């Protein structure tokens, strides 16, 4: 639903109710205090290559061509990456090379010699100023990323590894790596013999989406414990959005309740249907008879969503997701075939199963996602019922794709 973003974000894991969400993916902002630790090889070599080429051509062609001012390319390229020490060193090296060839060509007291030396000195000074400005911007960006990460972790709290008779895991990949805040939301609430969950996709991205996420999750967390009926939970969230956001935003959402009677009840607010993976490997996508409008569009709706039910028995798995998963396309424009990838969820550990699915999604897109992708996996008492059907090694060794 959101705009195209920068790319995938790094992994952060934690168990229980502290730290990053289990199986979630986060990107911790880094400062650039170390010189050139992440400098690309080509950009790192380019300043020295420029100095060598200019010196070689000048020696071969002689002073008549007048290439000495091109020594300024060395410090100019050095200012693109790295720190001020490296830039100052390359600038000094360029000045030494220029002075040496000025003496060699006999241009010490000529205007051409002064102009060449002045060009290199000026380029070095300008590059040093540019490095200082770039470092300040990088530090500001790192600070913004850290603040955004704290804000997102405060909103998207870790889901419990066990919720009643269920085991749970979540994976979140933001398309907006710079902002660190996406537009997808999730929550698991446990109480009074039932588990209630929500997965949603907010209109928009970045800071504008944060307010909407906060309103929706705050209302859901309170209503999920207070309201006896699932429809009243949805109504509370709808009222909160109407009151706080004044109809400016909307959210597609799926609210579910899993009780102890072997079934799951859903409210679908214009959201992709959940994926049910049966203990025998069969895949279903339960859908309502009629979809309701997203949350926040109550003024345009004739009635709210009607709850619908699906059997959810021990050994079954329930995957709730956002459209960043099913609408991810490969180079040929083919959507991600989520139903065909259900066997990837067969790993005994839910978080590892979601990681296998995320890796496969990355391979399918072969590049950065264009929308946030959130997945929430619920397993019905797998520790007592054995592993799901078709459990196999998900092949998760090796580096995480980026």
């Amino acid at each position: 639903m959101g705009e195209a973003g920068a790319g995938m974000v790094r992994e952060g894991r934690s168990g229980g109710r502290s730290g990053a969400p289990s199986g979630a993916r986060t990107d911790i902002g880094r400062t650039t205090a170390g010189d050139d630790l992440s400098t690309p090889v080509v950009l790192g070599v380019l300043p020295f290559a420029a100095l060598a080429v200019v010196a070689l051509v000048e020696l071969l062609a002689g002073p008549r061509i007048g290439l000495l001012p091109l020594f300024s390319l060395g410090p100019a390229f050095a200012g693109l990456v790295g720190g001020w020490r490296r830039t100052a060193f390359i600038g000094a090296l360029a000045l030494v090379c220029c002075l040496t060839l000025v003496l060699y060509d006999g241009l010490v007291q000529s205007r051409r010699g002064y102009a060449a030396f002045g060009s290199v000195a000026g380029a070095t000074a300008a590059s040093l100023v540019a490095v200082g400005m770039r470092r300040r911007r990088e530090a500001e960006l790192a600070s913004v990323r850290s603040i955004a990460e704290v804000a997102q972790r405060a909103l998207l709290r870790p889901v419990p590894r066990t919720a009643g008779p269920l085991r749970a895991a979540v994976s979140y990949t933001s398309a907006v790596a710079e902002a660190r805040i996406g537009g997808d939301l999730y929550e698991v609430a446990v109480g009074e013999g039932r588990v209630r969950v929500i997965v949603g996709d907010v209109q928009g991205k970045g800071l504008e989406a944060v307010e909407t996420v906060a309103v929706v999750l705050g209302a859901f967390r309170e209503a999920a414990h207070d309201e006896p009926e699932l429809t009243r939970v949805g109504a509370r969230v709808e009222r909160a959005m109407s009151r706080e956001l004044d109809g400016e935003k909307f959210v597609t959402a799926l609210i579910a309740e899993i009780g102890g009677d072997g079934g799951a009840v859903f409210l679908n607010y214009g959201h992709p249907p959940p994926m049910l993976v049966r203990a025998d490997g069969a895949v279903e996508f339960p859908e309502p008879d009629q979809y309701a409008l997203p949350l926040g569009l109550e003024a345009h709706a004739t009635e709210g969503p009607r709850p619908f039910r699906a059997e959810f028995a021990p050994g079954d798995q329930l995957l709730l997701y956002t459209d960043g998963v099913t609408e991810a396309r490969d180079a040929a424009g083919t959507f991600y075939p989520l139903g065909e990838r259900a066997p990837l969820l067969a790993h005994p550990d839910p978080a590892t199963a979601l990681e296998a699915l995320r890796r496969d999604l990355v391979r399918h897109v072969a590049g950065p996602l264009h929308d946030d992708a959130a997945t929430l996996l619920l397993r019905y008492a797998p520790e007592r019922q054995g592993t799901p059907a078709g459990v196999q090694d998900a092949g998760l060794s090796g580096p995480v794709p980026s």
Side-chain angles (χ1 to χ4, degrees), residues 194-197 220 223-224 227-237 254-258 264-269 305-308:
R194 61 181 176 234
V195 178
R196 286 172 170 173
V197 300
F220 174 79
E227 298 293 346
E229 298 179 7
L230 191 63
T231 53
R232 293 175 63 177
V233 174
R236 287 263 300 262
V237 176
L254 184 68
I255 302 177
E257 177 179 300
I258 297 93
V265 181
F266 303 95
L267 292 177
N268 194 313
Y269 292 86
R306 297 178 179 176
F308 63 100

Side-chain angles (χ1 to χ4, degrees), residues 279-297:
D280 60 1
V283 177
E284 303 174 14
F285 289 88
E287 297 188 62
D289 295 334
Q290 182 177 357
Y291 278 87
L293 291 178
L295 291 165
L297 299 179

Side-chain angles (χ1 to χ4, degrees), residues 199-201 251-254 268-274 291-292 320-323:
V199 168
D201 191 354
V251 181
T252 67
L254 184 68
N268 194 313
Y269 292 86
H271 199 76
Y291 278 87
L320 285 71
Y321 55 91
T322 59
D323 59 10

Side-chain angles (χ1 to χ4, degrees), residues 51-232:
L51 294 180
V53 170
V54 173
L56 180 62
V57 174
E58 178 68 20
L59 287 172
L60 295 177
R64 67 179 186 276
I65 296 181
L67 296 180
L68 291 177
L70 291 182
F71 277 115
S72 60
L73 291 175
F77 289 140
L80 297 176
V81 294
W84 67 269
R85 292 185 181 87
R86 179 175 183 271
T87 302
F89 170 76
I90 294 176
L93 181 61
L95 287 171
V96 171
C97 293
C98 181
L99 181 59
T100 301
L101 288 177
V102 164
L103 293 172
Y104 178 80
D105 293 336
L107 302 174
V108 176
Q109 296 183 349
S110 67
R111 281 185 287 182
R112 288 178 58 188
Y114 291 138
F117 199 79
S119 297
V120 177
T124 300
S127 296
L128 288 172
V129 173
V131 168
M133 296 176 63
R134 175 170 56 81
R135 283 304 179 89
R136 283 195 295 271
R137 288 195 298 268
E138 289 174 349
E140 291 173 357
L141 178 58
S143 177
V144 170
R145 284 180 173 177
S146 298
I147 294 172
E149 181 183 356
V150 172
Q152 183 153 339
R153 286 185 176 182
L155 292 175
L156 299 179
R157 301 182 304 193
V159 301
R161 292 185 180 274
T162 58
L166 309 176
R167 293 180 63 192
V170 67
S171 175
Y172 186 97
T173 302
S174 174
V176 187
E178 288 83 359
R180 291 288 307 113
I181 297 179
D184 291 355
L185 58 91
Y186 55 82
E187 182 58 294
V188 176
V190 184
E192 298 185 4
R194 61 181 176 234
V195 178
R196 286 172 170 173
V197 300
I198 184 173
V199 168
D201 191 354
V202 177
Q203 173 203 12
K205 282 287 178 288
L207 295 177
E208 293 184 355
V210 174
E211 181 182 9
T212 306
V213 171
V215 170
V216 172
L217 290 181
F220 174 79
R221 287 164 180 162
E222 182 178 353
H225 292 285
D226 294 345
E227 298 293 346
E229 298 179 7
L230 191 63
T231 53
R232 293 175 63 177

Side-chain angles (χ1 to χ4, degrees), residues 322-344:
T322 59
D323 59 10
V325 176
T326 52
E327 294 184 1
R329 305 189 188 199
D330 61 12
T334 304
F335 290 110
Y336 184 68
L338 179 61
E340 298 176 9
R341 300 299 197 266
L344 293 173

